[in-house]
Amino acid sequence: MSKRNLIVATIALLLANFMGGLDATIVNTALPEIVSDLQGIRYVGWISSLFLLGTAVSTVLWGRIADIFENKQIFQVATVIFILSSLVGGLATNMLTLIIARGFMGIGAGGMVSIPFIIYAKLYPDMAGRARALARVTAAYTLSTVIGPIIGGFIVDYSSWHWVFLINLPIGILAVIMLQFSYHEDNQEQVAAKFDYLGAGILSIALIFLLFAGDALAVSHLRAITLLIFGLVSLGVFVVVESRMEDALIPIKLLSDWKIQSQNVIMFLMNGFFIGYSIYSPMWAQGVLGTNATRAGMTQIASSILLLLGTRLTANLMRNIPAKKIVILGLISVFLSAVSLVMATQDSPYWWLMMSGAFEGFGVGLAFTPMQVSIQDGVKAELVNVSTTFGLLSRTLGQTFMASIYGGVLSLRIANLVGQTNGQITVSQMNQLTDHETASHLPQNLIPEMQRILFESLHSIMLIGFFLIVAAIIINVIRKEPLKQFR
């Protein structure tokens, strides 16, 4: 491949990463207005969690499909699905249509975001080159998360939330066209394999059960526990089936490698905390502190900037410091973020949220790259694709399940606290509180009590996130590094 084509192909893939990051932050910024417009605070978690479910279910599937077909073709198909679903989401007039569109966006994103990591491993086979490439990936993602809240806030304040989805169309189309003419894959690189439909079906069922278990917390504890049991049993069946399959969706030798999987567990826990901050810090700023949408979105800018700094430092630190030590430094930074959110009070100022986001972003930036490189270089060549996508799946699952659980916890806490007001405050009014514009029409004498209800509900979410990071730190301390596999 010529240097020019290498640059163009890399830029095309970076656009996909950019679009993935933009979608996350720009939609989170628009959530308060979406909730107010479509009257859906009960289902706010679904806007994120169904997107993440689609991503989680499809990520490994895309990787295995790419083993059979060309990586480039599969990336383009996934991106087109994401584009078309974004169009439907942008035209949605009710919560059901939007949630369904988000599910299909997640399916497209599963391939659009994961397949580039496989292609990067082929474009940059040496560790140093790939570390620099992954730093560019994080830079693209970070740039999108910096400008995403600003663009999202501007769109919400001066236009309509529908445009936060429609903005994906030109970016996605450009990425597909650029990769088409710059990257030509050697067909001999593809691995002849049969697709594991049974494993894919069982894994999908298990993930759906677990997602619904989190959401059911807001309705019935018995239902939540029942769905959780079904989900865990389905996962057990999945492991048994995969151990007997010749062309397993996820080979059992990968699943049983604790040196690899311990890092995936850490990424699961860390991203579970990350999604809580990403979704609910804008809601905290608007609903509790009374900011407008633009300032609410900017709570994540410090996180994005420090995430970029952490990633750039990691690329240099990996030359001299073991990956495990870099990861623990990152986790300590995220731990400080979690502590600051747990210690926050209803009167904590806007800059407190920004400071917490800075620690969170810096820590994630430090920890991600060494683990991503390790789960690729720590397996044999035939497992690189599935190990890469399974690692990304672990990140997505952390966000998926925790977004679902957070949504259920938020709904349950708000319903309980609203019930204690003896009818003075309604859930409908709480919907309006989350958007700066509609909040101005609420009875002013009720707003302080409504802000207290929202704050206590959000504080419960941050407490859960704190325990996730504590668990991640413990696992990182006791785990062992995988050995680099020579190819």
Side-chain angles (χ1 to χ4, degrees):
M1 175 181 287
S2 67
K3 185 175 180 180
R4 177 181 178 276
N5 282 345
L6 178 63
I7 294 173
V8 174
T10 300
I11 292 174
L13 298 175
L14 290 177
L15 282 174
N17 294 114
F18 177 87
M19 185 161 56
L22 184 67
D23 178 79
T25 54
I26 200 172
V27 172
N28 288 340
T29 303
L31 279 179
E33 184 179 336
I34 294 173
V35 167
S36 178
D37 185 27
L38 302 182
Q39 288 293 294
I41 197 169
R42 166 67 182 85
Y43 302 102
V44 63
W46 282 93
I47 296 176
S48 296
S49 60
L50 201 62
F51 171 84
L52 293 169
L53 173 66
T55 305
V57 169
S58 65
T59 296
V60 176
L61 275 63
W62 286 118
R64 294 304 281 172
I65 293 172
D67 278 335
I68 304 173
F69 303 98
E70 289 188 355
N71 290 315
K72 182 176 79 171
Q73 291 179 349
I74 298 306
F75 166 79
Q76 291 173 321
V77 169
T79 305
V80 169
I81 292 174
F82 183 84
I83 293 170
L84 294 177
S85 303
S86 296
L87 177 62
V88 175
L91 299 177
T93 57
N94 57 71
M95 205 65 160
L96 178 61
T97 302
L98 178 59
I99 289 173
I100 293 174
R102 289 293 285 168
F104 280 98
M105 285 178 70
I107 292 173
M112 183 186 73
V113 175
S114 64
I115 299 301
F117 284 92
I118 298 173
I119 299 178
Y120 288 133
K122 298 179 183 297
L123 293 177
Y124 303 93
D126 63 296
M127 180 185 292
R130 201 174 339 134
R132 289 192 294 270
L134 291 177
R136 297 189 192 103
V137 172
T138 306
Y141 183 89
T142 302
L143 176 61
S144 68
T145 58
V146 170
I147 67 174
I150 299 174
I151 295 174
F154 183 84
I155 289 174
V156 169
D157 285 337
Y158 299 101
S159 183
S160 167
W161 61 263
H162 299 275
W163 286 99
V164 303
F165 299 104
L166 298 177
I167 198 173
N168 291 325
L169 273 64
I171 303 173
I173 292 171
L174 182 60
V176 169
I177 293 175
M178 289 179 66
L179 193 67
Q180 175 64 30
F181 293 103
S182 63
Y183 179 59
H184 304 284
E185 198 163 30
D186 184 357
N187 289 332
Q188 293 180 350
E189 294 180 355
Q190 302 305 313
V191 178
K194 296 179 181 178
F195 187 74
D196 180 11
Y197 293 100
L198 179 60
I202 297 173
L203 179 61
S204 299
I205 291 171
L207 295 178
I208 290 171
F209 274 136
L210 292 173
L211 172 66
F212 276 86
D215 183 73
L217 285 173
V219 181
S220 166
H221 289 130
L222 177 61
R223 183 186 303 178
I225 293 172
T226 302
L227 290 170
L228 176 62
I229 293 173
F230 277 129
L232 294 176
V233 170
S234 299
L235 283 179
V237 173
F238 173 75
V239 172
V240 173
V241 169
E242 294 300 275
S243 66
R244 300 174 180 175
M245 293 290 290
E246 182 178 350
D247 294 304
L249 184 70
I250 306 173
I252 196 67
K253 58 184 175 182
L254 178 64
L255 287 175
S256 60
D257 187 345
W258 176 244
K259 292 180 180 179
I260 296 294
Q261 299 311 324
S262 60
Q263 296 178 90
N264 288 331
V265 173
I266 291 171
M267 287 198 284
F268 176 98
L269 297 169
M270 187 169 61
N271 280 274
F273 172 79
F274 174 83
I275 196 66
Y277 179 85
S278 298
I279 293 177
Y280 295 105
S281 61
M283 186 176 292
W284 187 324
Q286 282 195 263
V288 178
L289 302 181
T291 70
N292 60 21
T294 301
R295 288 200 71 202
M298 290 177 68
T299 56
Q300 300 183 66
I301 287 183
S303 169
S304 300
I305 294 174
L306 269 293
L307 190 149
L308 175 59
L309 177 60
T311 304
R312 295 301 295 269
L313 284 175
T314 298
N316 295 322
L317 291 174
M318 286 179 66
R319 299 172 183 171
N320 304 308
I321 301 176
K324 182 178 176 180
K325 291 185 178 179
I326 299 175
V327 174
I328 193 62
L329 291 175
L331 287 172
I332 290 173
S333 182
V334 179
F335 175 78
L336 293 175
S337 173
V339 169
S340 68
L341 290 172
V342 171
M343 292 176 60
T345 66
Q346 186 176 341
D347 297 324
S348 294
Y350 177 83
W351 63 262
W352 190 270
L353 283 178
M354 295 280 286
M355 177 194 68
S356 177
F359 281 115
E360 172 258 328
F362 185 68
V364 172
L366 280 179
F368 167 68
T369 300
M371 287 193 288
Q372 182 63 39
V373 171
S374 178
I375 64 175
Q376 289 181 326
D377 289 351
V379 299
K380 295 181 179 180
E382 65 269 19
L383 293 177
V384 170
N385 274 26
V386 67
S387 183
T388 300
T389 53
F390 191 68
L392 297 172
L393 170 65
S394 300
R395 295 170 56 198
T396 304
L397 287 178
Q399 297 182 31
T400 305
F401 294 147
M402 294 316 302
S404 175
I405 290 173
Y406 292 150
V409 169
L410 181 71
S411 298
L412 188 63
R413 286 288 288 158
I414 286 178
N416 287 340
L417 293 171
V418 164
Q420 296 174 13
T421 66
N422 298 319
Q424 290 185 343
I425 297 173
T426 65
V427 173
S428 177
Q429 289 174 322
M430 294 300 299
N431 277 311
Q432 297 177 57
L433 180 68
T434 61
D435 180 59
H436 177 71
E437 293 297 324
T438 56
S440 62
H441 302 297
L442 292 170
Q444 295 301 302
N445 63 310
L446 295 179
I447 287 181
E449 179 62 14
M450 294 172 66
Q451 289 176 330
R452 182 192 67 81
I453 291 174
L454 182 59
F455 168 76
E456 290 191 13
S457 302
L458 293 174
H459 190 265
S460 298
I461 290 172
M462 301 310 168
L463 187 61
I464 294 172
F466 169 81
F467 288 112
L468 295 181
I469 298 305
V470 171
I473 291 174
I474 293 172
I475 293 172
N476 192 71
V477 169
I478 63 177
R479 75 179 177 92
K480 295 181 179 180
E481 286 273 40
L483 298 176
K484 177 178 172 58
Q485 300 293 311
F486 295 97
R487 302 184 182 118

